[in-house]
Amino acid sequence: MPTINFSGVSRNFAVKDGDFLALDRVSLDIEDGEFVTVVGPSGCGKSTLLNIAAGLTEATGGDVTVDGVPVRGPAPERGVIFQQYALFPWMTVTANVEYGLKVAGVGKAERRRRAREVIELVGLTDFAGALPKTLSGGMKQRCAIARAYAVDPKVLLMDEPFGALDSLTRVRMQESLLDTWSRDRRTVMFITHDVDEAVYLGNRVVVMAARPGRIQTVIPVTLPYPRTEEQRLSPAFAELRAQVWHAVHHQPAPLEGLAP
């Protein structure tokens, strides 16, 4: 059974002149342990699709299940990481990571143990007592990832988490994320605008088309893990990048009559 199953998912939004169809009958399976990246033009519904999986937005048609259980709202088995870190500025790295565990009623000793574990996993042990204002952008995002990991989610839903970072930090964060993922192979759905990022991270790249949002194609990434700098510079990577780029940037005209 797929970990995440989107079955005929649609989403309408009310606008001034009627309804806007943001997603049109999207169907997609993401298997246990897969790292699936999703790309597409602006306004194609990538974030809306992720928010439906997170339980933050309701579908107006179709169903989403995680491990066969219908999504009816947020739940601890679905960790969500956004572009904005949303860390509590008055809390240390440890306190931020422990927060979700505290809300869940986990005891102090166990909270501290699990926080130490995931902080080490993302390479922030030396900054466990630091406040967010003293951290770089990449370190703040690693703290946000550790906070999501602390509650031991079955899946990670990541919405352009590295979009606000400079290019060098972004590459380092991609490498750090894959290193973390390789240790436990959690199921990941990762939204991005960056074609190189989509190819470098993913087992498969889902390319979406806009107006209304729908899946145009799914491209398997045949590069083996662990991914390396040599792979990023290889002819095989360049060929995959070109394939995804063409699918994203040479799309047919939006369907008429389905959106304003």
Side-chain angles (χ1 to χ4, degrees):
M1 178 181 293
T3 298
I4 308 175
N5 171 256
F6 298 93
S7 181
V9 171
S10 297
R11 173 66 195 188
N12 287 291
F13 290 99
V15 293
K16 182 178 180 181
D17 298 323
D19 285 341
F20 173 72
L21 184 59
L23 293 171
D24 183 28
R25 294 165 293 179
V26 173
S27 294
L28 175 69
D29 288 341
I30 300 179
E31 304 292 339
D32 184 37
E34 267 200 300
F35 198 127
V36 170
T37 54
V38 182
V39 294
S42 294
C44 71
K46 302 184 297 294
S47 293
T48 300
L49 191 66
L50 181 140
N51 285 337
I52 290 172
L56 301 174
T57 300
E58 290 186 12
T60 50
D63 297 292
V64 182
T65 62
V66 175
D67 280 345
V69 179
V71 172
R72 296 287 183 257
E77 71 266 15
R78 283 170 272 126
V80 186
I81 302 168
F82 298 105
Q83 182 174 324
Q84 300 303 320
Y85 321 116
L87 301 176
F88 296 112
W90 61 88
M91 290 185 181
T92 65
V93 166
T94 295
N96 268 285
V97 172
E98 286 186 4
Y99 181 76
L101 297 170
K102 186 176 182 179
V103 170
V106 177
K108 184 175 180 179
E110 178 63 9
R111 290 202 310 266
R112 189 56 52 94
R113 184 193 69 78
R114 285 165 68 174
R116 276 199 307 268
E117 194 174 84
V118 294
I119 288 169
E120 180 180 2
L121 188 67
V122 300
L124 286 179
T125 299
D126 291 342
F127 300 90
L131 293 173
K133 67 180 180 180
T134 67
L135 305 177
S136 68
M139 293 163 72
K140 290 176 184 176
Q141 196 57 282
R142 277 189 276 164
C143 182
I145 291 171
R147 183 174 57 187
Y149 261 81
V151 296
D152 198 26
K154 173 71 174 176
V155 302
L156 286 176
L157 305 170
M158 309 183 75
D159 191 1
E160 297 193 66
F162 308 148
L165 304 177
D166 65 83
S167 57
L168 180 57
T169 303
R170 187 169 188 154
V171 167
R172 289 173 175 166
M173 286 300 302
Q174 292 166 7
E175 293 169 348
S176 175
L177 176 61
L178 280 187
D179 180 61
T180 302
W181 174 78
S182 68
R183 302 184 206 183
D184 57 18
R185 297 286 173 137
R186 293 173 197 263
T187 306
V188 178
M189 179 181 178
F190 188 105
I191 307 297
T192 181
H193 275 103
D194 189 286
V195 169
D196 285 60
E197 183 168 74
V199 173
Y200 186 74
L201 294 176
N203 298 113
R204 292 185 293 153
V205 179
V206 175
V207 180
M208 293 188 65
R211 294 184 53 198
R214 60 204 186 279
I215 292 176
Q216 173 157 300
T217 188
V218 179
I219 299 172
V221 179
T222 54
L223 301 172
Y225 291 101
R227 303 275 162 86
T228 62
E229 182 178 359
E230 288 72 22
Q231 286 179 322
R232 197 190 289 268
L233 300 174
S234 70
F237 186 94
E239 183 177 341
L240 283 163
R241 181 188 182 279
Q243 188 178 354
V244 176
W245 179 271
H246 188 274
V248 172
H249 294 282
H250 296 274
Q251 298 195 3
L255 300 181
E256 297 297 330
L258 292 173

